[in-house]
Amino acid sequence: MSRFWSAVVHGLTPYVPGEQPKLDNLVKLNTNEHPYGPSPKALEAIRAATSDGLRLYPDPNSDALKSALARRHGVQPQQIFVGNGSDEVLAHAFMALLKHERALWFPDITYSFYPVYCGLYGIAQRTIPLADDFSIRVEDYLPQGDERPGAIIFPNPNAPTGMPLALVDVERIVAGNPDVVVVVDEAYVDFGGESAITLIDRHPNLLVTHTFSKSRSLAGLRVGYAVGHVDLIEGLERVKDSFNSYPLDRLATAGAVASVADEAHFQDSCAKVIATREKLVTSMQALGFEVLPSAANFIFARHPGRDGAELTAELRKRAIIVRHFKAARIDQFMRITIGTDEQCGILVDALRDILGR
């Protein structure tokens, strides 16, 4: 505590990022990073951009990246917003689109940055409990008399559960709330979910966010974007230009544009993760774990006979790092990032040893 802090800082409970431990021979399965490298074309583009041109400011509009993303998603460049990672994109959305007199609605078990942004920006919030099976219930997000949201946000697939919501159900939420913004956070959608970007032109209240950190293996580059109606994008641009007019540097833009162009690498690397995920689920279930259905690059699993925190600690002793959450309802689960086949094999062998199987 400091007497120099503002009242806002005194009241904040900051987001806690996943641990980045420095251990020898580490099997790191805690922060949902991609187990395979980015597109070689992206690395080549980054190297090419490392030149005397770095003395100049980057394009504040990131037009090259917006055009590349617009072509890929079949929208117009003015329907694209880009930022320094999807967390920054989401932060701008909270300020520009989600702060209203009525409360913002989101799931009780979800990305833990959402309540942090509410605290930072003074946004009233209402958490909507997931169903007993940890799914999102569409009906809970539809207005009921005077009970209606000021805005809605949820990840699809959800995090940390990994469970997807069908596109038809996403559209029911969006269409059922035509007077408020609905943000669908699709950080993990490329690993088996259905993107709501196809709904953008039918629903002017829908904003969809994506990141290059997961499926494109560029977490170290910090690139994120949103797709939506031009009016929503203009709101994001107004906040961005009041905060940081140059969120993407020249290297990030070059690497991201090249990554979008390398569709073959993108599809192949995602397919590898999906295949490994399915094998890991089978192996975990054989050890007695309950594994929630996942369309992400991680699984959410618990064992009926062993404490989740204890299992996490035992794995750490073996230099295997997974993530454990202490929150109510999920304190027995471990969130396990999908690594390589070799890494997941090491994990399963360790769990088999711990469980005495």
Side-chain angles (χ1 to χ4, degrees), residues 275-303:
T276 301
R277 181 186 69 207
E278 299 314 305
K279 285 189 286 187
L280 178 60
V281 168
T282 299
S283 297
M284 296 284 287
Q285 290 173 334
L287 291 175
F289 282 88
E290 174 193 358
V291 184
L292 298 187
S294 174
N297 68 335
F298 59 86
I299 60 172
F300 210 47
R302 63 182 171 186
H303 195 282

Side-chain angles (χ1 to χ4, degrees), residues 25-163:
N25 301 314
L26 179 67
V27 177
K28 188 173 183 297
L29 303 175
N30 68 320
T31 50
N32 299 341
E33 293 145 325
H34 204 296
Y36 305 105
S39 162
K41 294 180 180 179
L43 299 179
E44 181 181 346
I46 293 169
R47 284 191 288 267
T50 307
S51 67
D52 181 68
L54 290 177
R55 65 187 176 81
L56 302 173
Y57 282 108
D59 175 9
N61 295 318
S62 301
D63 286 332
L65 180 54
K66 288 180 180 179
S67 294
L69 290 168
R71 286 192 299 272
R72 186 175 193 279
H73 292 298
V75 298
Q76 298 300 311
Q78 58 267 35
Q79 292 179 279
I80 304 283
F81 175 83
V82 299
N84 186 243
S86 62
D87 285 337
E88 182 182 80
V89 174
L90 289 169
H92 292 340
F94 270 71
M95 174 60 75
L97 306 172
L98 305 183
K99 185 174 183 177
H100 298 283
E101 290 184 5
R102 292 182 183 270
L104 170 66
W105 291 9
F106 53 83
D108 63 336
I109 298 170
T110 194
Y111 187 28
S112 54
F113 230 135
Y114 299 163
V116 173
Y117 285 144
C118 286
L120 179 62
Y121 295 124
I123 299 173
Q125 60 181 282
R126 176 182 171 185
T127 55
I128 309 297
L130 297 178
D132 290 342
D133 65 355
F134 298 101
S135 63
I136 290 175
R137 289 179 296 224
V138 173
E139 292 75 14
D140 293 344
Y141 291 84
L142 301 179
Q144 299 175 5
D146 291 335
E147 290 292 318
R148 56 187 61 242
I152 295 171
I153 185 171
F154 59 89
N156 192 36
N158 196 13
T161 67
M163 295 179 64

